[in-house]
Structures are given as structure tokens and as C-alpha cells.
Amino acid sequence: MKVYLDNGNTTPVDRRVVDAMEPYFTEKYGHPLFIYSQGKEAHEAVESAKDYIAGTVGAEGYSVTFTSGGTEANDLALRGVANANRNSREHIITSNIETPSVLRICEELEGRGFHVDYLDVDEDGFVDLDQLRELISEETILVSIGHVSDEIGTVQPISKIGEIIQEKNPDVLFHSNAAFSYGQIPFSVREAKVDLLTITAHKLHGPKGVGALISREGIDIEPVNYGYLSMSELRPGTENVPGIVGFKKAAELAFEDFKDKTEHIRVLRDRLMNGIENSISNIVLHGPRGEDRSPANVNYSFKHIEGESILMHLDVRGISVATGSACATRKLEPSHVLTAIGVDPVVAHGAIRFTLSRMNTAEEVNYTLETLQEVVSKLREMSPIKG
Amino acid sequence: MKVYLDNGNTTPVDRRVVDAMEPYFTEKYGHPLFIYSQGKEAHEAVESAKDYIAGTVGAEGYSVTFTSGGTEANDLALRGVANANRNSREHIITSNIETPSVLRICEELEGRGFHVDYLDVDEDGFVDLDQLRELISEETILVSIGHVSDEIGTVQPISKIGEIIQEKNPDVLFHSNAAFSYGQIPFSVREAKVDLLTITAHKLHGPKGVGALISREGIDIEPVNYGYLSMSELRPGTENVPGIVGFKKAAELAFEDFKDKTEHIRVLRDRLMNGIENSISNIVLHGPRGEDRSPANVNYSFKHIEGESILMHLDVRGISVATGSACATRKLEPSHVLTAIGVDPVVAHGAIRFTLSRMNTAEEVNYTLETLQEVVSKLREMSPIKG
């Protein structure tokens, strides 16, 4: 059995998304800027995707700027807004559990003289709202807080954050990276007072290589890239029309029967969590439980063994997961998120993240539970570090 | 009959390219940074595309950085290299017939204090080599000259330019935008002494949304985007794996039976040019003839009528072309290229650009010639501006 449980990282593209893209590769291949027939149909496809996607997050009337992915959308939101304000203000607030995408952009801004504050989080990963309230000042340009933590599934109180910003200084813009929640957790940018929202297709059974920044009209954003301007005045380059069409289709599939689909994922999550807790001892859950946790995220440390070993043993048995710490990628970085919520480094080393999607099934979860139990007990027998 | 003759702008994706991409959407969808099986196969696909593409331009051992397209590759080459040298040197040389992609990046650099010189071109669009020789100084960081003019098909003497740079100051880097020649005109970066080369997939029957910057090892390039780093240390974001696989396949298809394919295009070009010259009077060819012209490019002004009218009448009859001037896109910009080669603005207004690909046929060219003759004479009868 093949079981893919790293959907928080990237997802298989839905067959229906590929089918929707196909005609835009081979038939409707025109350049959207050109006024002949093929150009017009490409132009209409891009405009229609903008409208549809804006509607899915209550952003009617907002700008939708298609990018090459979530990373570029974050770059445009953070550096674009910071640079547009560089002559008047210099303060940015984010949290210390944001994704590397956001944190590396903040580092770059610090290197050029911006002042960045990183909010602390509690042991479940919720940002410190009192600290946020204290830190917002006349100097603050932007607050950037991700909707959901990709590692530990914490759903931030995004409307509360939006309210605090409005109370303290309504000139401060609010950016949220929703790459890990879009299509899974209902969300209205207008209600949450979010000015800039990052989303991406490839975490939603859409294609890699396309994302979007949704921004309130009238916000001053400086481009982060320069060159040939096609439909957008902000983001240069020929639009990835098939990718954009695929993004729209992926969103349509996520938002049709939305409740049933997220409920399906939530049920699988609870089956997996209950199964792990009932069958394996010496484990530590990372992140909150229940409604405050992403329906797609499960993250446990299995004490006395290394996450990397579990990952490799599961891979051999057809199951793909991520480690909560470092070694699951080709880069050796400790998990800054587990560190931030106070997890002991030794325990963090044994963390495994399972991320579900609507394509997963109860049978897959059952197989994963059986296999995980077997792998964990085998590794613990061999472990030199058992406590 | 449907005839697409705007291949210099964007091309239909070859069916075999779509077939090559397909498994990377629905089966081999892993993230290339991750060490489980799906990650490994994605990683290998990206590495294999890098190697293959480098080999097609004699760039074995060079770095291949995949981007979201030619525009981003130009941005990385120009701003990336300029910014990396900003503390020591400030001079850049380009030409006044580069694409808007390159010219807008140069504008941005000028806005931040870099000094940019724009080489003049002669009436066929060849850059002034004496002027180049004079302008290269100790201050010069980079020379950026496109391999082929997208508008008028001029093939620049790229090896000669490389030689002049080496003679005058070997510290100066040479960037060439080869988006309009890649896969059509043989080219070796090593022979031509090109340090940085821009290529893109969607002008070569590959997908939109993927391009590459090929750069000699050891060149100092500052990122133009920041965020999550996956396989590249220079360009952030999850790799567009299916797009990269499609780019490789498109290159393979262009380079297999390379001579036959370019000869096919050249024969069509000559058939179209001879047909126009033999059947329509009061025309002006833009750009050179023969070997010095791109095999894919045909550009004529039809006097006393507007290019936009020709375009619309051809579109109704199933033929897609570009105007040489302004109105074929939704933006009203005059053709800076026709201005630079000294074309009278009134004549420039009647310019039509036909760009061919290996997918075009002799029958399509015949139909285009008949239709064009009919459209031009009809429009000239109605024209208030006939001379």
C-alpha cells in the first residue's frame, strides 16, 4: 500500500485539475496580453481565476496577483510593503514559528535596517497577544502572522489579531500566510481584517509553480521583481495560464462540499491521533487539540528514537511522512518551531509530522497505524538511547 | 484554417511535453528536497533537467537556476549581478533594442544609481561594436545583449561581442537573453564567452511558468527574491517540478533532428518573405535577410494601413500575428525597436510580425499569403491614409 502523508509539504495534483489545465497547454495557449482570439481566451481565464479565488476568502474587490508560489507571494507582501514604506517607518512584527519562507525574508529586511520583532508563542504555538499589543507602535509597518503553523497545526486567532491591530494602530497592515490553511479552514479576509493574504496551489491538489498574493485595494506595494509587464503592473512575466487555471480548479474542488471534505480530513486526523495514543507509549503531541488544530496536521515525538529512522522505515513500507526536526530534508536545520514551543531538543529529534488531505482514506490511516506501531517498537528494541 | 504565427510571443505546448509532465502532477508529485522515495524521484528529475539543458548550450559544469520564466532569469542576471557589485562598480551596458524585460530592469538599476549605457544599432538592428569597445571601462560590471531581437529577428554577433569584452576588460561579465533563439540557433556559451544566459520554455513548445538562468561557476549573484530555500541557494521556492520536466522534454524535442527542424522553419520563413514581396507592393522589411536573421522571424510594414487593422482582419480569418508597433497588446507603447533602427513612425504603425515554429506547415504559409493579400488590398481600398 502507498500512503502519502506529507500533504502539508506538497500534494498530488487532482486528476480533474490536470484535465482543466490540458486545453491551456495545447489549444488555448495564447498570451493573455494579446488581443487576438487565443490571447482573449487566456486573458479571460486569468480574470476568471482571480474573481473565483478572491471569492473563496471573502476578498471580492481585492487585488489578486498571481506569483510563482507562496514564497514569492510572501516576498511581495513583506519586502514589497516594507520597501514601499522605507522612508517613513521601519518596524515589522512576526512570530518565531513562521515558516522559513517568512523568516528568511525578515532576515533580509533586518540586514537592510528594518527592525523586526518576533512574537513568542505558548507551549501549543499560539502567539502572545499581549506582547503583540505592546509592540505595535507608530513605527510599525506590518504584522505578519501565518494562519496555521505548518509544523504543529496551531490555528492562530486571526480575527483577534486583526482586531488588536485595528485598535492599536489602524495604519498597520496585516499579512497572513494562509498556504497551510487555504481550502481547509474557512476564512474571510474582510472579517479578519487581513490586508494581504498568501495562498498557493500545490498544497491544495493544484500544480506547483503558482501562488497568489491577495491584497486590499490601495495598499502601496513596491515590486520585488522587475521586467516585462503583462497583465499585472506589480509582478512581471508572462502569466502561467495553465497553472492559474489549475489553481482555480483546485480551489473549486476544495470549496465544493467544503464541510464534508474538511470533516473527512478531521475524522482521519482524530483516527490517527487516537490510534497513536492508544497503541504507542512514550509519545509527546506537539501543538493543540480539537478545533484549534488544523484538521490536516498530526505531529508526535516518539521518544528514544530518531524521526529520521522512523521516516526511512515508513518509506520502505510505502508511507511518506515528514520529520518534525531536521533530517527529513537534505538540509540539517533544527526545527525552530519545536524549539519555540519549548520542546526538549532530544524529544524534538524524534518528531514525525503526518499531514492529511481529502485524498487520504481510513484504510490508509489503519495501515499507517499498524506499520508505525511495528516500526516504532522495532526501532526502540534496537535503540541505544532508550531511557 | 487556424494558423498561429505568434510563436515569438508564446507557443503551443507539444503533446509529448504534456505527456512527459503528466506523471509529475499525479504520481511523482514529491517535494524534491525530501528524502523519501517521491522526493528522490522529483530531485532526480530536476537534476537531470539541469544537466540536459546545460548540455544543449555547451554549458557543462555551469549552474542552472530554474526560475518562473525568462523575465525572472533576466532579473536575476541583471539585478543579481549589479547588486552583488554595487560597492565597487556601477556601469552596465546594454542595447536600445532589448526586450522590455531587460530594459525595465535597467531602468530600475538607473533609479538606484547605476549608470546604464544603451548601445545604438544600425538600420538592420546590429549593435555598434565600436561603441561597445569604447564604452567598456574599469567601472563596467556587465554587458547584456540579447542573442536575437524578438521583433526584427537580428542575430547579434555574440562571439564577436564576447571577444571584445575579453579584450577590453576580462572582469566584465557577459549576459545574453537567448529566449528568442534557444532551440533554433546553435550556440555555445563557452565558445561565445557568455557568462550568463537566459532561456525560457514557453517559446519552445514547453510550458509557461518556467525558465532558467545558466551561469558560469563562481560568479557572484545576489538573490532577487528571498524566502524558503529548496534545491537552490539562489532562488527560493518549491521547484515547479512538472514544469522543469516539461522544459527538458521541450528542449529534447527541439534538439533532436535539430538541423532538419530549423531548416523546415527557415524554408517557411523564406516562402513567406518571398510570397509577401512578390504579391504585395508598398512594403518595408524590418531587420536583416539570410543567415543573419532568425529563421523564425518575418516583419514587414504594409504602408498606408494600420498593423492593428491587419491583425484583427487576419484574426477573424483564423490567423494570429503580432503587430510590430503598439496596439496588438492591451498596452499602448510604440515599438522602441523600430524607432531605434530608424523606421518612420507612420511606417512603423503598419508593421506586422509573423513568428514561425516547427509546428507550422507550408499549407499554413500559403493560406496566410492568400489571406494577407486579400486583407491588405481590402484595407488599402478603404484607407484614408493611402499615399
Side-chain angles (χ1 to χ4, degrees):
Chain A
M1 197 179 219
K2 285 270 178 198
V3 186
Y4 183 74
L5 293 177
D6 198 15
N7 295 286
N9 190 1
T10 191
T11 57
V13 180
D14 192 300
R15 184 69 245 174
R16 292 164 291 179
V17 170
V18 179
D19 291 344
M21 292 167 74
E22 283 247 340
Y24 290 86
F25 287 126
T26 52
E27 295 157 37
K28 303 178 178 186
Y29 49 80
H31 192 296
L33 197 61
F34 281 68
I35 57 173
Y36 47 66
S37 316
Q38 286 103 327
K40 274 183 211 153
E41 64 194 4
H43 194 272
E44 279 160 19
V46 174
E47 287 296 345
S48 153
K50 278 188 194 175
D51 289 347
Y52 181 79
I53 288 170
T56 60
V57 290
E60 291 86 356
Y62 283 48
S63 289
V64 177
T65 304
F66 288 112
T67 63
S68 63
T71 288
E72 191 191 325
N74 286 332
D75 203 18
L76 197 52
L78 285 153
R79 289 201 302 142
V81 166
N83 288 338
N85 286 279
R86 70 162 80 76
N87 296 325
S88 53
R89 293 176 287 167
E90 60 169 30
H91 182 222
I92 286 153
I93 301 173
T94 184
S95 87
N96 59 15
I97 64 161
E98 298 304 313
T99 63
S101 174
V102 166
L103 294 177
R104 282 177 200 269
I105 298 163
C106 290
E107 261 173 44
E108 198 276 337
L109 289 169
E110 286 183 294
R112 287 189 299 110
F114 288 93
H115 175 67
V116 183
D117 276 314
Y118 299 85
L119 296 178
D120 294 327
V121 296
D122 68 16
E123 72 281 5
D124 281 335
F126 294 104
V127 294
D128 186 332
L129 299 179
D130 293 330
Q131 198 186 10
L132 171 66
R133 203 174 274 114
E134 275 164 38
L135 285 170
I136 295 171
S137 75
E138 286 302 307
E139 275 298 304
T140 311
I141 301 168
L142 183 80
V143 174
S144 177
I145 305 289
H147 187 198
V148 162
S149 162
D150 60 327
E151 285 200 34
I152 57 172
T154 314
V155 182
Q156 301 295 345
I158 215 78
S159 298
K160 193 86 203 155
I161 294 169
E163 256 173 52
I164 292 171
I165 296 170
Q166 283 301 308
E167 271 170 42
K168 282 282 295 189
N169 180 359
D171 290 341
V172 173
L173 296 175
F174 182 18
H175 167 247
S176 187
N177 175 15
F180 307 103
S181 63
Y182 180 61
Q184 287 178 344
I185 300 175
F187 185 79
S188 157
V189 292
R190 215 172 247 112
E191 271 174 48
K193 299 182 171 52
V194 166
D195 301 292
L196 302 131
L197 189 80
T198 292
I199 57 175
T200 192
H202 79 103
K203 295 186 196 289
L204 194 72
H205 304 295
K208 292 181 178 66
V210 57
L213 180 66
I214 298 174
S215 55
R216 193 164 51 70
E217 283 293 333
I219 292 177
D220 216 8
I221 308 177
E222 202 177 278
V224 291
N225 290 98
Y226 291 85
Y228 168 73
L229 292 175
S230 180
M231 288 175 64
S232 167
E233 293 291 319
L234 183 57
R235 198 272 177 181
T238 298
E239 283 76 13
N240 176 358
V241 181
I244 289 167
V245 167
F247 195 177
K248 180 193 178 193
K249 185 69 188 177
E252 282 174 351
L253 293 172
F255 285 96
E256 122 200 329
D257 306 321
F258 182 80
K259 277 193 181 163
D260 291 350
K261 280 172 186 157
T262 40
E263 191 50 29
H264 169 75
I265 301 173
R266 194 184 307 274
V267 167
L268 294 184
R269 178 196 73 180
D270 292 343
R271 177 187 283 260
L272 184 57
M273 288 176 69
N274 292 333
I276 290 171
E277 296 186 2
N278 292 332
S279 67
I280 304 176
S281 59
N282 275 313
I283 55 170
V284 180
L285 173 68
H286 304 303
R289 292 181 183 273
E291 287 299 309
D292 286 342
R293 182 178 197 105
S294 158
N297 180 293
V298 174
N299 189 333
Y300 286 95
S301 277
F302 300 87
K303 287 188 183 173
H304 316 313
I305 39 179
E306 285 179 10
E308 197 189 359
S309 303
I310 301 175
L311 180 148
M312 298 307 286
H313 278 80
L314 290 178
D315 185 39
V316 169
R317 289 157 180 84
I319 302 169
S320 304
V321 299
T323 59
S325 64
C327 319
T329 75
R330 289 177 179 77
K331 292 174 187 173
L332 292 169
E333 288 157 1
S335 165
H336 65 286
V337 175
L338 297 184
T339 306
I341 62 171
V343 177
D344 180 286
V346 176
V347 173
H349 214 53
I352 290 286
R353 185 189 73 162
F354 310 82
T355 41
L356 298 146
S357 91
R358 65 163 193 269
M359 286 195 191
N360 291 122
T361 63
E363 291 68 41
E364 290 179 350
V365 169
N366 293 346
Y367 174 70
T368 302
L369 282 167
E370 284 162 34
T371 312
L372 184 66
Q373 211 180 332
E374 176 206 324
V375 164
V376 168
S377 66
K378 191 172 159 181
L379 287 172
R380 280 185 178 159
E381 277 168 31
M382 307 188 310
S383 170
I385 51 171
K386 64 188 134 190
Chain B
M1 195 179 222
K2 284 270 179 198
V3 186
Y4 183 73
L5 294 177
D6 198 15
N7 294 285
N9 190 1
T10 190
T11 58
V13 180
D14 192 301
R15 184 70 244 171
R16 291 164 291 178
V17 170
V18 180
D19 291 343
M21 292 165 74
E22 284 246 339
Y24 289 86
F25 287 125
T26 52
E27 295 156 36
K28 303 178 177 186
Y29 49 79
H31 192 298
L33 197 61
F34 280 69
I35 57 172
Y36 47 65
S37 316
Q38 287 104 326
K40 273 184 213 154
E41 64 194 5
H43 194 271
E44 279 160 20
V46 173
E47 287 296 344
S48 153
K50 278 187 193 174
D51 290 347
Y52 181 79
I53 287 169
T56 61
V57 290
E60 290 86 357
Y62 283 48
S63 289
V64 176
T65 304
F66 289 112
T67 63
S68 62
T71 288
E72 191 192 325
N74 286 332
D75 202 18
L76 197 52
L78 285 153
R79 288 202 300 142
V81 166
N83 289 339
N85 285 278
R86 70 160 80 77
N87 296 325
S88 52
R89 293 177 287 167
E90 60 170 29
H91 183 222
I92 286 154
I93 301 173
T94 186
S95 88
N96 59 16
I97 64 162
E98 298 304 312
T99 62
S101 174
V102 167
L103 294 177
R104 282 178 201 267
I105 298 163
C106 289
E107 262 173 44
E108 198 275 337
L109 288 169
E110 286 184 295
R112 286 189 299 109
F114 288 94
H115 175 69
V116 183
D117 276 313
Y118 299 85
L119 295 180
D120 294 327
V121 296
D122 68 15
E123 71 281 5
D124 281 335
F126 293 105
V127 294
D128 186 332
L129 298 180
D130 293 330
Q131 198 186 10
L132 171 65
R133 203 174 274 114
E134 275 164 38
L135 285 170
I136 295 170
S137 75
E138 287 303 306
E139 276 298 304
T140 311
I141 300 167
L142 183 80
V143 174
S144 176
I145 305 288
H147 187 197
V148 161
S149 162
D150 60 327
E151 284 200 33
I152 56 171
T154 314
V155 182
Q156 301 295 346
I158 214 80
S159 298
K160 193 85 202 153
I161 295 169
E163 257 172 52
I164 291 171
I165 296 170
Q166 283 301 308
E167 271 169 41
K168 284 281 296 191
N169 180 357
D171 290 342
V172 173
L173 296 174
F174 183 16
H175 167 246
S176 187
N177 175 16
F180 307 104
S181 64
Y182 180 62
Q184 287 179 345
I185 300 175
F187 184 80
S188 159
V189 292
R190 217 173 245 110
E191 272 174 48
K193 299 179 170 50
V194 166
D195 301 292
L196 302 131
L197 190 79
T198 292
I199 57 176
T200 192
H202 79 102
K203 295 186 196 289
L204 194 72
H205 304 295
K208 292 180 178 66
V210 57
L213 180 66
I214 298 176
S215 56
R216 193 163 52 71
E217 283 292 333
I219 292 177
D220 216 9
I221 308 177
E222 202 175 281
V224 292
N225 290 99
Y226 291 86
Y228 168 72
L229 292 174
S230 179
M231 287 175 66
S232 168
E233 293 292 319
L234 184 56
R235 198 270 177 185
T238 297
E239 283 75 13
N240 176 357
V241 182
I244 289 168
V245 167
F247 195 178
K248 181 193 176 193
K249 186 68 186 177
E252 282 175 350
L253 293 173
F255 284 96
E256 118 200 330
D257 307 321
F258 182 80
K259 278 192 182 167
D260 292 350
K261 279 173 186 157
T262 40
E263 192 48 30
H264 169 75
I265 300 173
R266 194 184 308 274
V267 167
L268 294 183
R269 178 196 74 180
D270 292 344
R271 177 188 284 258
L272 183 56
M273 289 176 69
N274 291 333
I276 290 172
E277 296 186 1
N278 291 332
S279 67
I280 304 175
S281 59
N282 275 315
I283 55 170
V284 179
L285 173 68
H286 303 304
R289 292 181 184 273
E291 287 298 310
D292 287 342
R293 182 178 197 105
S294 158
N297 179 293
V298 173
N299 190 331
Y300 286 95
S301 277
F302 299 88
K303 288 188 180 172
H304 315 313
I305 41 179
E306 284 179 11
E308 197 189 359
S309 302
I310 301 176
L311 180 147
M312 297 308 285
H313 278 80
L314 290 178
D315 185 39
V316 169
R317 290 158 180 83
I319 302 170
S320 304
V321 298
T323 59
S325 64
C327 319
T329 74
R330 290 179 177 75
K331 293 174 184 172
L332 292 168
E333 288 157 2
S335 165
H336 66 287
V337 175
L338 297 183
T339 306
I341 62 171
V343 177
D344 180 287
V346 175
V347 173
H349 214 52
I352 289 287
R353 185 189 73 163
F354 310 82
T355 41
L356 299 147
S357 92
R358 65 165 193 269
M359 285 194 191
N360 292 122
T361 64
E363 291 67 43
E364 291 179 349
V365 170
N366 293 345
Y367 174 71
T368 303
L369 282 167
E370 283 162 34
T371 312
L372 184 66
Q373 212 181 331
E374 177 206 323
V375 164
V376 168
S377 65
K378 188 172 159 182
L379 288 171
R380 279 187 178 159
E381 276 167 34
M382 307 189 311
S383 170
I385 53 170
K386 65 187 135 191

